[in-house]
Amino acid sequence: MGRTCLKPAKHEGIHSIKKREPKTLSTAHQDVVRNTRRWLEHMVVGLNLCPFSSSVIARDQVHYAICDATTDAHLKQFFVTELQRLLVTNENDIATSLLMFTQGLEEFDDYLDLLDWFQQLLEQAELTEEVQLASFHPQYQFDGVAPDDLSHFTNRSPYPTIHLLRQDQMTKILAHVSDPEKIYLDNIETLKRLGRRQVEALCPWGK
């Protein structure tokens, strides 16, 4: 299968955010970044749901990109552009990227369809050994788990979000973790100890 062409282009509805220039964004997009950063601070880092995230957030190495577009062409170009940005940028500047979608993905099934499509694009570009995708959504639902289970909140974010992770970074990090599966199990226990009321207070979008 041929490689997907990683050619950047600018399209209406696609907004890439320079980490240190949030004031150049519209008020609506400033809110998207602010709410996402608050989620990272209070949930992901605050509850230590991802023990690897605190350092890149503290060093301002997270890149935020917002997509208002809904057409297939614009969604594809957005994904390809952000993939390329991550790959050509030194990891000390951009360690990881968060792609946030503001339109058309309110239904979790629609989001999963987009996630599957992006995974296919990643495979077509032969980049699965360089980048992996992590998924987050306001109504995230693990398959086969009761709808009211608190575990879903480990992946519930303010906006439909796809996380681009550098595969080599994850390999290096996980090499020092004896039981990676235990992280997920520990996260569930953390949420259970907090209780539903406090978890929903931290994630009001996920009720």
Side-chain angles (χ1 to χ4, degrees):
M1 186 176 293
R3 292 173 62 92
T4 296
C5 178
L6 295 183
K7 181 179 180 181
K10 291 186 177 180
H11 291 289
E12 183 179 356
I14 296 175
H15 304 268
S16 185
I17 297 122
K18 293 182 179 179
K19 295 175 294 179
R20 298 174 181 83
E21 298 181 9
K23 293 182 180 179
T24 63
L25 300 173
S26 68
T27 299
H29 287 169
Q30 287 184 43
D31 287 342
V32 172
V33 175
R34 186 181 304 112
N35 291 336
T36 298
R37 284 177 167 166
R38 185 180 298 119
W39 163 63
L40 292 173
E41 178 184 352
H42 293 168
M43 282 289 293
V44 179
V45 175
L47 299 182
N48 198 33
L49 298 183
C50 178
F52 324 124
S53 61
S54 58
S55 60
V56 296
I57 292 173
R59 292 195 294 264
D60 194 24
Q61 293 174 329
V62 179
H63 179 74
Y64 303 86
I66 299 173
C67 184
D68 295 327
T70 57
T71 67
D72 286 354
H74 287 173
L75 287 167
K76 179 178 180 180
Q77 187 59 62
F78 172 72
F79 180 63
V80 168
T81 297
E82 293 308 324
L83 264 181
Q84 185 182 61
R85 186 190 314 280
L86 184 70
L87 292 170
V88 303
T89 304
N90 188 289
E91 65 181 62
N92 291 323
D93 187 35
I94 298 178
T96 192
S97 297
L98 290 175
L99 316 186
M100 297 159 289
F101 301 85
T102 63
Q103 303 289 333
L105 296 177
E106 293 82 8
E107 296 295 328
F108 185 51
D109 285 344
D110 292 338
Y111 167 82
L112 290 180
D113 288 342
L114 182 71
L115 181 67
D116 286 343
W117 184 36
F118 282 0
Q119 180 62 37
Q120 291 173 22
L121 292 175
L122 195 67
E123 292 169 2
Q124 290 168 10
E126 300 176 2
L127 290 172
T128 55
E129 294 185 0
E130 297 182 59
V131 178
Q132 64 174 274
L133 308 182
S135 53
F136 301 90
H137 188 278
Q139 299 300 322
Y140 201 96
Q141 190 88 17
F142 289 108
D143 189 35
V145 179
D148 62 347
D149 197 279
L150 284 178
S151 63
H152 304 303
F153 282 86
T154 61
N155 286 58
R156 288 189 175 175
S157 55
Y159 308 94
T161 299
I162 293 177
H163 186 185
L164 305 184
L165 298 127
R166 296 178 186 269
Q167 192 71 264
D168 59 342
Q169 283 187 335
M170 294 306 299
T171 299
K172 292 174 184 177
I173 290 170
L174 292 176
H176 300 284
V177 178
S178 58
D179 186 3
E181 180 66 20
K182 191 173 184 297
I183 296 173
Y184 170 69
L185 297 175
D186 286 345
N187 289 345
I188 295 175
E189 289 304 314
T190 295
L191 297 186
K192 287 181 178 179
R193 285 196 299 271
L194 282 177
R196 180 166 300 277
R197 179 176 298 180
Q198 191 167 349
V199 170
E200 290 184 348
L202 288 169
C203 300
W205 55 82
K207 291 182 181 180

